[in-house]
Amino acid sequence: MRTVIFLLGFACALFFFSLAAPILVGFAHGEDQHALRLAVMASTGAFIAVLAMTASFGYRHVVTPTRLIVSMVFVWLGLGLIGTLPFLLVLDLSFEKALFESISGLTTTGATTFATRQTLPQSILFWRLQLEWIGGFLTLASLFLVLSPLAIGGLPRRAMASEWSMDRNAARDAGFQHLKRYVPMLGYYLAASVIVFFLFVASGVDSLGAAHLTMTSIATGGFNPYDDDLASRFGISSMAIMAAVLMISATSLFWQRYDLFSPFRVIRQNSEAWWVVMTVTALTGLYLLAFRGLNAFSGEGNLAIVLVESFFAAASVVATSGHEPRPGIIALVPEILIFPVAFVGAAVFSTASGLKMHRLGAMLVQSFRELNLLIYPSSVIPTRIANVEYSERTIVESWPVVLLTLAMLALSVFALAGGPGNFEAALLAGMALLLNAGPLYEAYIPVASSADLWPEFRDFNSVERLIACIVMLLGRLEFVAVFAILNLRYWLSR
């Protein structure tokens, strides 16, 4: 367990150091008292985390697949708990509300209990959005350095770069050597964030607003830090940039190092990314048809606005973000079409949530193969679809993930149905939380509905908030990895 503590301490130390940004924002906006509280908390926490790391110095850290999975789950849980501290210190929230905000931010769910947001301290708003940005990086790090190298849950065992790969047969590895593998990914994540930030600034957004939009869009988050809608606050060019960032972040293209050397070849050969783009395009067409039914194309300049808003809504749904430029845009298409699209999600190596299109392709291959065997029992059918080859392991391991997802969805709906709200509200809320797309639920709340029938997230009671936190974490993590650490034999042998 010393290796797990070492990795957890390193993650917590970086987490506390990242509070420097909200502290500076607080001082810049005259929130000296709040900033000082955050500074004392960050320095104390960083000292404890570094102390925990140094306590394991001199010990040869052994990095095994089991310890990597345990470390990954503990990092998500630990950072989720630590993320509550700023809300507790500055806003004096109850613990379950602070935990809900922290987990929702870290899992990029976007659900919130804040009735008004612009009256909150700017340091807290920045921290709430920074949690989403950190959660986006944690998602990529978990995929590239833990889940994909171990091929958990049918994920492709694919090394994006030599320093990101891990030899699955290697029984031992130094903890410091493992931590070095995060440096290139963090560098590219920061570089991508800086590029997106300057794109928003070039579109006319002020620096703080550009930082807000960058953190939530690049991580495919869904938290809106403003009380009004995004379209009324920012221009059409900013909305177009945000929609493009959401779509690109939903593909695997943005995070592969060798894209920088041969981007056109990789884009052409990445079939999964093309499926994401085609899904966004098809969904954009559905929204255009919905706008046409409302006669929204009439008027000068309306065509460009409708195109951008349709593209924005489609990219937001596929990326499991839930952002919408104006209230009511996403709900133009019925939820029976939107939630299945969000359930499938985007590309496997992306910050989006959902089942992922890679697994959908594996299940389609298996389904087509079984149907062909009914007609041609002796035939040899290749495990290929859209020029993508699927191994037997990927096909077999994809189905348990689907079954666990559906089982967790049923349990979450059953738990939420016991509180206020009807069954349809519990079903949509459970799906939105599991898919880490909280705003999708709020987008379909009927107008003038009461909290007894369609409660918003701030109307949840304490038990429902805790249940929602568990569902959001399970939705962001791979179910197979979480259930793997529940192996009683492993813990009894510690």
Side-chain angles (χ1 to χ4, degrees):
M1 290 298 294
R2 282 177 288 188
T3 301
V4 176
I5 294 174
F6 173 77
L7 297 175
L8 179 60
F10 177 80
C12 292
L14 288 182
F15 197 62
F16 281 114
F17 287 136
S18 70
L19 274 164
I23 291 171
L24 292 176
V25 171
F27 280 123
H29 287 82
E31 302 167 359
D32 296 348
Q33 184 177 4
H34 299 329
L36 287 174
R37 288 183 180 181
L38 294 177
V40 172
M41 184 266 291
S43 58
T44 305
F47 174 76
I48 296 174
V50 172
L51 194 64
M53 289 182 60
T54 55
S56 64
F57 284 174
Y59 169 74
R60 178 180 173 83
H61 300 288
V62 179
V63 179
T64 62
T66 303
R67 292 182 181 181
L68 274 181
I69 296 174
V70 173
S71 300
M72 180 192 71
V73 175
F74 279 12
V75 164
W76 280 93
L77 292 175
L79 298 189
L81 290 173
I82 295 173
T84 63
L85 296 179
F87 300 111
L88 294 173
L89 291 175
V90 176
L91 300 181
D92 197 23
L93 292 180
S94 60
F95 174 75
E96 69 274 3
K97 283 188 176 181
L99 183 64
F100 184 91
E101 293 295 333
S102 177
I103 297 297
S104 176
L106 204 61
T107 57
T108 70
T109 302
T112 182
T113 61
F114 297 138
T116 58
R117 292 175 282 277
Q118 288 183 236
T119 57
L120 296 175
Q122 287 297 322
S123 56
I124 290 299
L125 278 179
F126 196 92
W127 173 245
R128 181 61 175 77
L129 286 162
Q130 185 173 298
L131 282 172
E132 290 193 341
W133 185 82
I134 295 173
F137 174 73
L138 278 180
T139 300
L140 295 173
S142 300
L143 284 168
F144 279 112
L145 299 175
V146 180
L147 300 174
S148 178
L150 299 177
I152 291 177
L155 293 177
R157 186 180 292 122
R158 186 178 302 165
M160 297 299 105
S162 58
E163 60 264 38
W164 295 352
S165 64
M166 185 188 72
D167 186 3
R168 188 168 182 259
N169 297 321
R172 295 174 176 270
D173 188 14
F176 282 109
Q177 294 299 319
H178 178 73
L179 292 179
K180 288 180 180 179
R181 293 170 177 151
Y182 292 86
V183 176
M185 181 179 295
L186 181 59
Y188 289 120
Y189 193 68
L190 284 169
S193 301
V194 171
I195 293 173
V196 173
F197 171 81
F198 282 110
L199 286 176
F200 282 122
V201 171
S203 67
V205 182
D206 62 275
S207 57
L208 184 60
H212 288 169
L213 295 181
T214 297
M215 289 187 289
T216 189
S217 59
I218 206 166
T220 61
F223 179 73
N224 180 7
Y226 310 104
D227 293 334
D228 51 352
D229 56 81
L230 296 174
S232 62
R233 177 170 289 269
F234 304 105
I236 185 174
S237 58
S238 301
M239 292 296 94
I241 292 172
M242 187 172 179
V245 173
L246 285 173
M247 185 184 70
I248 295 174
S249 298
T251 70
S252 299
L253 301 174
F254 209 47
W255 316 109
Q256 297 182 17
R257 176 184 178 182
Y258 49 72
D259 287 354
L260 302 177
F261 300 98
S262 54
F264 296 106
R265 179 180 61 84
V266 175
I267 292 172
R268 186 175 61 254
Q269 295 178 353
N270 196 323
S271 300
E272 190 182 25
W274 281 111
W275 279 107
V276 172
V277 173
M278 287 189 291
T279 303
V280 172
T281 303
L283 196 55
T284 301
L286 288 179
Y287 277 108
L288 289 174
L289 291 176
F291 273 114
R292 183 181 180 183
L294 300 175
N295 295 323
F297 290 97
S298 59
E300 185 178 357
N302 284 356
L303 178 59
I305 295 175
V306 169
L307 284 173
V308 170
E309 291 186 345
S310 300
F311 175 44
F312 189 106
S316 178
V317 170
V318 175
T320 65
S321 167
H323 273 303
E324 52 184 348
R326 290 185 292 115
I329 300 297
I330 288 181
L332 290 176
V333 176
E335 62 268 30
I336 196 172
L337 296 177
I338 293 301
F339 274 87
V341 172
F343 181 82
V344 173
V348 64
F349 292 111
S350 69
T351 54
S353 188
L355 183 65
K356 303 299 176 60
M357 290 192 176
H358 176 80
R359 292 196 181 100
L360 177 63
M363 292 186 293
L364 288 176
V365 165
Q366 175 71 6
S367 301
F368 292 152
R369 187 170 62 175
E370 294 299 325
L371 289 174
N372 284 328
L373 286 176
L374 291 176
I375 303 174
Y376 307 104
S378 301
S379 62
V380 178
I381 302 170
T383 57
R384 176 185 293 270
I385 184 173
N387 296 324
V388 178
E389 187 75 27
Y390 290 92
S391 64
E392 291 291 339
R393 176 198 57 79
T394 299
I395 295 174
V396 171
E397 293 180 2
S398 295
W399 288 100
V401 177
V402 178
L403 295 177
L404 286 173
T405 303
L406 295 176
M408 191 61 217
L409 174 61
L411 291 175
S412 62
V413 172
F414 176 78
L416 295 176
N422 54 30
F423 177 78
E424 185 179 359
L427 176 62
L428 294 186
M431 290 187 66
L433 292 171
L434 190 64
L435 299 174
N436 303 122
L440 283 185
Y441 166 70
E442 295 178 334
Y444 286 96
I445 295 180
V447 179
S449 63
S450 64
D452 295 332
L453 294 179
W454 284 81
E456 297 186 29
F457 291 117
R458 61 174 175 266
D459 299 320
F460 281 16
N461 56 42
S462 300
V463 176
E464 288 176 323
R465 291 192 191 102
L466 295 177
I467 293 172
C469 290
I470 296 174
V471 174
M472 287 186 288
L473 277 174
L474 289 176
R476 176 50 71 183
L477 295 171
E478 289 291 329
F479 291 100
V480 177
V482 175
F483 285 104
I485 71 169
L486 299 179
N487 187 346
L488 185 61
R489 182 182 301 176
Y490 170 77
W491 293 108
L492 290 177
S493 64
R494 296 301 92 196

